[in-house]
Amino acid sequence: MHVIVIFGTVEGHTRKIARNISATVQSLGHQATVFDAGDLGDVDLDIADAVMVCAPVHMSQYPSAIAHWLSTHADDLAKLPGAFVSVSLASASPFPEEHAEIRKLTEAFFDRTGWHPRLVHQAAGALRYPRYDFLKRLLMKHIAYREGGSTDVTKDHEFTNWNALSAFVASFVDECGATPEKANQAMPA
Ligand SMILES: Cc1cc2nc3c(=O)[nH]c(=O)nc-3n(C[C@H](O)[C@H](O)[C@H](O)COP(=O)(O)O)c2cc1C
């Protein structure tokens, strides 16, 4: 089976997630090709047996490039098994209402794009303070403080549960019902 993994990112954490997914798919004996949302013109769905899309939430929105691509290809994508990995800080929140809010946002995204994946995973993202400009750092520090998160702006803070992500990928591959291949190749974005 060949899995196409598409990601969008602003600060790079979702790229890391997409590459991790690709490595898991390969470790299960399948092929994976990773595409950056900036190069979605290159995606050839004819080679795909399944599609996984990874998108981060920024200011309550997923990247518009991914939304546009999903809307444009909704008919072709409907023929393929699909999975969505949403990346957000709300998923790391101790407050249940934040989790509910992000699930609502994800459902609205599916309704808007017309793409309805079989499986959805809500992954916690990262705080990458050193990469933010002054204002963004201030804003994120304020949000982290409110949520009881780390306010040490000298380093990155990663909240992703990598084991849970691998388990999700394995369940999706299982759901697709494919037999592992002998030779695998991945093209990192
Ligand atoms: C300016 C900014 C706005 C954000 N807005 C939200 C938000 O509305 N909801 C949320 O849950 N997380 C929000 N986040 C957290 C991101 O989803 C998280 O940092 C994620 O790991 C970013 O992924 P990326 O590095 O691939 O861009 C925001 C982060 C930044 C820097």
Side-chain angles (χ1 to χ4, degrees), residues 1-5 21 25 28-31 48-53 77-84 115 117-120 167-181:
M1 176 169 81
H2 193 155
V3 182
I4 298 288
V5 184
I21 288 173
V25 169
L28 294 167
H30 300 280
Q31 275 184 265
D49 299 302
V51 175
M52 295 191 77
V53 176
L77 289 166
K79 298 174 198 148
L80 294 168
F84 183 63
W115 181 60
R118 283 189 196 176
L119 297 183
V120 179
F168 174 74
V169 174
S171 67
F172 177 59
V173 167
D174 197 43
E175 162 96 13
C176 294
T179 321
E181 295 168 15

Side-chain angles (χ1 to χ4, degrees), residues 9-14 56-60 87-90 125-126 140:
T9 188
V10 178
E11 271 100 25
H13 189 68
T14 311
V57 178
H58 281 262
M59 300 296 185
S60 301
V87 181
S88 69
L89 279 184
M140 298 314 289

Side-chain angles (χ1 to χ4, degrees), residues 118-154:
R118 283 189 196 176
L119 297 183
V120 179
H121 180 66
Q122 296 289 349
L127 277 169
R128 297 190 132 183
Y129 288 122
R131 288 163 205 244
Y132 304 155
D133 61 28
F134 176 77
L135 278 179
K136 213 188 254 192
R137 195 175 304 129
L138 206 65
L139 171 73
M140 298 314 289
K141 189 178 169 186
H142 175 72
I143 293 171
Y145 178 76
R146 208 182 54 200
E147 301 267 325
S150 179
T151 51
D152 178 355
V153 296
T154 61

Side-chain angles (χ1 to χ4, degrees), residues 86-116:
S86 165
V87 181
S88 69
L89 279 184
S91 294
S93 170
F95 305 115
E97 57 271 26
E98 299 239 0
H99 294 250
E101 197 56 43
I102 219 76
R103 282 197 300 272
K104 245 169 66 185
L105 198 135
T106 306
E107 286 304 320
F109 180 68
F110 297 152
D111 287 343
R112 189 157 62 89
T113 58
W115 181 60
H116 294 274

